[in-house]
Amino acid sequence: MLATFASTNLAFGQNEFYNNNKFKQLDEELPTPNVYRTGSGAPGHEYWQQKADYVIEASIDEKLHRLTGAETVTYFNNSPDVLTYLWIQLDQNMRATDSDTYKIRQNKVGKKTNINQLAAVDGFPDYDGGHKIQKVQDANGKDISYTINKTMMRLDLPQPLQPGEQFSFSIDWYYNINDRLLMGGRGGYETFAEDGNTIYTITQWFPRMAVYDDFNGWQHKQFLGNGEFALAFGDYDVKITVPSDHIVASTGELQNPDDILSDEEKKRFEEAKTADKPVVIVTQKEAEKKEKTKESGTKTWHYKATNVRDFAFGSSRKFIWDAMGVDINGKTVMAMSYYPKEANPLYGQYSTEAVAHTLEVYSKHTIDYPYPVAISVEASNGMEYPMICFNYGRPEKDGTYSPRIKYGMISVIIHEVGHNFFPMIINSDERQWTWMDEGLNTFCQYLAEQEWEENYPSRRGPAENIVNYMKGEKNNISPIMTNSESIKQFGNNAYGKPATALNILRETIMGRELFDYAFKEYAQRWAFKHPKPADFYRTMEDASAVDLDWFWRGWFFTTEAVDIAIEDVEYKELDTQDPKVEEKKRKGERDNQPKDITSIHNEEVNLGRRVDRKPELKDFYNSYDELDADYEDYEAYKKYQKGLNSNDKAWIAAKKYVYQVKFKNIGGLVMPIIIELQYEDGTSDKKYIPAEIWKMDDEVVSKVFVCDKPVAQLVVDPNRETADIDTENNYFPRQTQISRFQLYKSGASQPRTYDSGQLNPMQKAKKNKK
Ligand SMILES: [Zn+2]
């Protein structure tokens, strides 16, 4: 049994009882509703957001691994405010030699330290990946003054920008692309030793407008690496120049297929639109041929994308390309995959199907996928951008793969494609709140995984899978409501816990009907807008009529865990008040009392008692039994009977079994009590007691169960749906937990542990056959 956890203190003020009440409404924690964001969680009648359009020309220099670009930004001030400056994000400055990202990284030298780690302790001295800004000008070609503060650039407007006005400016820049496998990063390049070719994944690559909104003003928290981005929506017109034999995978729609694609490729692409399985547009054979010839000319791919918050692309002559049309409510979306031969046969078989599956399942639970394409690129990682994402999935050289690679790949594709919805369309502030996109997305990922195949091995979503994290050392975990850069245990905190919490809401607390409606309502309200945590919390309540403040408070604002114990069960038998019946019972109970030890020993020695030897010493009290019913008892019983109507009598006649159960909240999180009464005859009943039972006392509550038959065992949370961290105390009587051990003789070989081999199951199966 675990000790009671101290609750994370998020309350203010003096009154401890009031402030620690787990059902206290969130009024103090949530911002006051206003004309921009309503108390219902919907955008207000004066909601506004900024817009930024981009025209960009970029080119990759394959020899230098350098990206050069020129962009024109048109910024629309839809706010009611006059702006005197604009803030622009220079994410690549995270890779500048003097980057804070390197400086704030904690390091230690272990007994065995990797040389690369030690060389990179202050970053990479020979590599400057920062944004080189060459020119910033207004529409008339006049220089604009600007100040760079690490990953942020302030552009001082020549004239204040009035509400409703727009301002255009251009920036010329370049940066050195990072070696992604050596230095890490969401984008970069990967060169394949065998053939000397490179896959570029170009992300966070151009100076991008920061968000200005009603909530924060400018969101210009420095980019340190964990907190992703806050970005405004806009339209993009992008020309990408790459080596002429490269295939580009990109956000948006290709505008110049006639300049770029062969007739055969265009024909295959047309076929793919109506195909019911992926059609290969660039084959492995064709890609392999290009790997050897390595053309030296260039080609320019022209893309347009409407109403997106960002733009990314991949480029390589190694790319195999397949596609399949997906019907989303009557509109055809092209699900597509780009991957090197190293990812086959796995990627070819599953990637585009996983993209299509994600679009279908997410569209059902949120909004119809609105963009023309959705792309999965194999780049041995996992990172998302509008319409395009980069994932992993490379089998062994012999084409076999472990279940971890197969399901990991399908899951990462679902996850990253799923990010199109959160946060690319339901555009939350990632730099502030990781859970708002990762948590909601991981929850939907779980739904999509479970719709992929039966018993899909989902890592996150089921309540059981978060238990180890929830019972962890309190100093090593943070509340979900923690800024992205300060989260301890990132994956569990911002992905696993919120995904599990939402699944518990759906399956246990709200039920699927209420939950699904409210969740979809949130997605619809905030699609192509910028929601904040309160907008989510409020919408889920507003659309369902379920008070969830206690749930958000416990699961999102604290680090408490669920541990509900059955502390005690008392069997309460009905007193019939019938003197005859009760007399028999009373005497039976007395006669069944254990004998005291002196009496037992006296019987053994056959102690001859005086009164037995001299019966004349006996009087009334030697035969009197205080448990005998007397005339008063009979009179009282008659009176009692008279007072009962026929319903009362019937109820009493039907023999009831009454159990008084004491529950203890050890973990701190209040939750519904789900209890299964398992009867002696093998049947059972499951009862659901809402969390509000803890309203007056969140430590101990008692509940009476009136049953028609005797109960053999009581079990709290029998289906493990609440993430209870100690299930031993969920049973009454307690159940012995069985664990197994193996015996072996010293000197003999040790027993084999399950799955200890180096071969994956597909390889083992081949060996088994031999
Ligand atoms: Zn993610």
Side-chain angles (χ1 to χ4, degrees):
M1 205 170 283
L2 294 168
T4 306
F5 299 124
S7 67
T8 303
N9 193 5
L10 44 93
F12 320 99
Q14 307 298 319
N15 185 327
E16 203 164 319
F17 171 76
Y18 174 72
N19 282 329
N20 288 334
N21 184 334
K22 293 176 193 295
F23 291 88
K24 186 185 147 202
Q25 296 295 289
L26 281 172
D27 296 349
E28 284 169 19
E29 283 75 19
L30 303 186
T32 306
N34 54 40
V35 292
Y36 311 119
R37 290 161 202 278
T38 68
S40 71
H45 67 276
E46 286 184 36
Y47 176 84
W48 54 268
Q49 66 190 20
Q50 308 293 65
K51 182 174 189 257
D53 291 347
Y54 298 81
V55 178
I56 310 176
E57 287 183 16
S59 61
I60 291 178
D61 183 329
E62 203 179 17
K63 280 207 183 74
L64 292 174
H65 293 310
R66 176 171 290 180
L67 184 70
T68 304
E71 70 189 71
T72 300
V73 184
T74 304
Y75 187 70
F76 298 82
N77 183 13
N78 298 324
S79 81
D81 312 325
V82 177
L83 302 176
T84 53
Y85 47 76
L86 307 178
W87 282 100
I88 294 155
Q89 311 183 61
L90 303 179
D91 285 30
Q92 292 302 325
N93 281 355
M94 193 198 103
R95 301 192 174 283
T97 42
D98 64 345
S99 162
D100 280 359
T101 303
Y102 301 132
K103 291 177 193 163
I104 64 167
R105 203 182 275 161
Q106 294 197 48
N107 339 90
K108 273 179 187 162
V109 177
K111 279 218 157 150
K112 284 183 182 173
T113 292
N114 181 311
I115 190 164
N116 288 340
Q117 276 173 358
L118 201 59
V121 74
D122 284 323
F124 301 92
D126 302 329
Y127 166 71
D128 182 358
H131 253 126
K132 305 298 171 203
I133 302 296
Q134 297 179 292
K135 200 164 79 177
V136 182
Q137 292 183 333
D138 69 11
N140 303 318
K142 224 178 135 217
D143 286 348
I144 305 174
S145 85
Y146 61 90
T147 301
I148 293 175
N149 172 12
K150 296 165 190 171
T151 62
M152 290 289 162
M153 176 165 105
R154 191 191 66 231
L155 202 137
D156 301 329
L157 292 167
Q159 310 278 319
L161 188 61
Q162 301 296 325
E165 283 185 359
Q166 65 192 64
F167 178 69
S168 288
F169 60 95
S170 58
I171 308 178
D172 290 2
W173 51 266
Y174 75 88
Y175 71 86
N176 299 310
I177 303 169
N178 52 302
D179 179 338
R180 198 165 44 77
L181 297 198
L182 177 69
M183 302 165 183
R186 292 183 166 87
Y189 69 83
E190 173 185 4
T191 299
F192 290 71
E194 290 101 283
D195 54 57
N197 286 294
T198 300
I199 291 179
Y200 290 96
T201 51
I202 303 299
T203 67
Q204 296 149 250
W205 50 284
F206 57 98
R208 303 180 294 180
M209 287 305 307
V211 167
Y212 179 81
D213 71 14
D214 59 288
F215 202 83
N216 296 309
W218 288 103
Q219 167 51 293
H220 50 20
K221 278 193 196 317
Q222 293 290 335
F223 181 45
L224 294 171
N226 280 342
E228 294 178 295
F229 346 100
L231 293 157
F233 289 104
D235 301 334
Y236 287 71
D237 182 320
V238 181
K239 292 191 175 108
I240 303 162
T241 300
V242 294
S244 50
D245 55 355
H246 271 214
I247 291 291
V248 170
S250 172
T251 301
E253 273 183 303
L254 185 62
Q255 302 296 303
N256 59 338
D258 292 340
D259 304 341
I260 294 291
L261 303 179
S262 70
D263 288 344
E264 185 62 32
E265 286 162 351
K266 281 190 286 184
K267 202 184 106 215
R268 291 169 183 166
F269 186 80
E270 282 308 309
E271 271 169 38
K273 285 181 180 169
T274 52
D276 59 3
K277 60 182 181 210
V279 172
V280 180
I281 296 162
V282 173
T283 67
Q284 179 162 336
K285 226 172 155 188
E286 289 159 352
E288 282 177 20
K289 202 173 146 204
K290 288 194 284 183
E291 285 182 359
K292 292 184 190 108
T293 52
K294 293 188 183 111
E295 285 180 19
S296 56
T298 61
K299 266 186 188 167
T300 299
W301 299 60
H302 183 197
Y303 285 90
K304 280 186 182 175
T306 309
N307 211 9
V308 286
R309 81 200 276 270
D310 198 4
F311 192 103
F313 64 94
S315 181
S316 180
R317 62 174 64 83
K318 289 179 71 69
F319 279 157
I320 301 160
W321 172 18
D322 71 42
M324 172 174 74
V326 189
D327 179 79
I328 300 293
N329 244 333
K331 222 185 80 189
T332 300
V333 177
M334 294 307 286
M336 308 204 281
S337 298
Y338 299 76
Y339 42 100
K341 64 177 187 296
E342 285 76 5
N344 257 339
L346 203 47
Y347 227 71
Q349 185 172 3
Y350 290 118
S351 175
T352 295
E353 289 284 355
V355 174
H357 181 70
T358 309
L359 299 181
E360 287 170 4
V361 177
Y362 275 62
S363 293
K364 196 165 66 184
H365 287 282
T366 60
I367 59 158
D368 288 347
Y369 183 73
Y371 295 132
V373 302
I375 293 168
S376 160
V377 177
E378 204 290 326
S380 67
N381 62 350
M383 187 56 205
E384 70 280 5
Y385 297 91
M387 304 187 216
I388 189 169
C389 57
F390 305 101
N391 310 302
Y392 71 82
R394 292 180 197 167
E396 305 285 341
K397 285 231 155 61
D398 66 0
T400 64
Y401 42 86
S402 65
R404 199 177 55 84
I405 286 288
K406 175 188 168 182
Y407 292 105
M409 180 193 82
I410 295 171
S411 287
V412 77
I413 294 171
I414 292 172
H415 181 94
E416 308 306 348
V417 173
H419 270 307
N420 273 297
F421 297 84
F422 308 97
M424 301 303 156
I425 296 165
I426 295 133
N427 190 349
S428 59
D429 180 351
E430 296 174 87
R431 191 146 301 169
Q432 183 63 40
W433 305 115
T434 299
W435 69 269
M436 282 198 79
D437 66 304
E438 297 299 354
L440 271 56
N441 181 38
T442 303
F443 163 69
C444 291
Q445 175 196 340
Y446 174 59
L447 299 180
E449 286 171 353
Q450 293 304 309
E451 264 195 57
W452 178 271
E453 72 182 40
E454 201 179 357
N455 298 323
Y456 189 98
S458 291
R459 257 177 81 209
R460 290 172 171 142
E464 266 309 277
N465 296 4
I466 201 70
V467 163
N468 272 337
Y469 168 72
M470 297 291 277
K471 68 177 165 196
E473 173 55 47
K474 294 287 140 180
N475 286 334
N476 291 334
I477 57 183
S478 344
I480 291 174
M481 287 294 283
T482 299
N483 172 264
S484 305
E485 291 293 345
S486 304
I487 293 169
K488 293 172 180 172
Q489 299 196 50
F490 207 72
N492 283 320
N493 176 293
Y495 297 61
K497 188 178 169 186
T500 309
L502 294 181
N503 198 47
I504 290 173
L505 274 187
R506 181 171 190 253
E507 300 287 14
T508 301
I509 290 162
M510 299 171 75
R512 289 189 178 190
E513 200 185 333
L514 288 176
F515 179 92
D516 288 351
Y517 182 88
F519 191 77
K520 200 175 169 81
E521 177 70 14
Y522 167 72
Q524 286 172 341
R525 283 179 175 183
W526 291 97
F528 296 107
K529 295 192 174 70
H530 300 280
K532 306 290 176 188
D535 302 320
F536 177 68
Y537 298 145
R538 285 172 167 149
T539 296
M540 291 303 290
E541 286 194 349
D542 189 66
S544 69
V546 182
D547 177 5
L548 295 171
D549 283 32
W550 62 271
F551 186 85
W552 308 131
R553 180 179 288 286
W555 279 84
F556 286 71
F557 287 81
T558 80
T559 56
E560 289 179 335
V562 180
D563 181 12
I564 296 174
I566 302 180
E567 184 79 343
D568 186 33
V569 178
E570 282 180 61
Y571 175 55
K572 303 272 188 182
E573 202 187 49
L574 182 70
D575 186 332
T576 61
Q577 302 181 43
D578 180 339
K580 246 191 217 146
V581 175
E582 293 305 318
E583 178 188 299
K584 209 174 151 200
K585 271 194 211 161
R586 284 198 296 271
K587 289 186 175 173
E589 275 162 23
R590 178 185 59 195
D591 297 344
N592 280 332
Q593 289 288 320
K595 282 191 175 138
D596 75 84
I597 193 67
T598 306
S599 308
I600 292 170
H601 289 164
N602 284 346
E603 254 168 54
E604 282 166 9
V605 298
N606 201 7
L607 192 71
R609 292 190 172 91
R610 174 169 293 270
V611 168
D612 293 331
R613 281 187 273 120
K614 293 183 164 182
E616 66 271 25
L617 294 180
K618 289 185 177 171
D619 73 352
F620 173 78
Y621 288 105
N622 288 91
S623 57
Y624 168 72
D625 188 339
E626 60 179 359
L627 297 182
D628 283 343
D630 61 19
Y631 79 98
E632 279 180 331
D633 294 328
Y634 284 98
E635 285 297 313
Y637 183 54
K638 254 190 230 159
K639 242 182 169 178
Y640 166 65
Q641 285 270 309
K642 257 191 196 162
L644 296 174
N645 64 28
S646 56
N647 280 346
D648 299 335
K649 281 181 186 161
W651 203 89
I652 291 166
K655 192 164 161 39
K656 298 285 183 185
Y657 296 82
V658 178
Y659 300 91
Q660 180 178 308
V661 185
K662 193 162 132 195
F663 297 98
K664 195 164 180 192
N665 175 8
I666 297 171
L669 270 194
V670 288
M671 283 292 269
I673 298 174
I674 305 151
I675 184 152
E676 188 171 72
L677 307 166
Q678 298 173 348
Y679 301 110
E680 279 176 6
D681 66 3
T683 60
S684 64
D685 263 333
K686 196 167 144 185
K687 296 189 189 291
Y688 176 94
I689 304 163
E692 282 79 359
I693 190 170
W694 303 100
K695 253 177 137 80
M696 306 305 282
D697 185 337
D698 54 46
E699 281 170 15
V700 180
V701 293
S702 124
K703 189 83 191 158
V704 168
F705 299 94
V706 180
C707 308
D708 294 328
K709 40 198 176 178
V711 169
Q713 183 161 52
L714 294 107
V715 185
V716 160
D717 191 12
N719 300 104
R720 304 280 166 93
E721 54 192 289
T722 66
D724 192 314
I725 61 169
D726 180 5
T727 49
E728 210 178 319
N729 59 28
N730 290 21
Y731 295 88
F732 198 96
R734 296 283 185 263
Q735 253 195 0
T736 309
Q737 316 264 314
I738 300 168
S739 60
R740 280 184 289 178
F741 67 101
Q742 292 179 326
L743 278 180
Y744 67 97
K745 279 191 162 180
S746 47
S749 70
Q750 298 213 358
R752 164 181 185 279
T753 49
Y754 180 70
D755 204 22
S756 58
Q758 294 293 311
L759 300 178
N760 68 46
M762 288 170 90
Q763 291 167 328
K764 278 188 194 171
K766 268 186 203 165
K767 265 200 157 175
N768 287 347
K769 266 190 196 157
K770 286 177 199 161

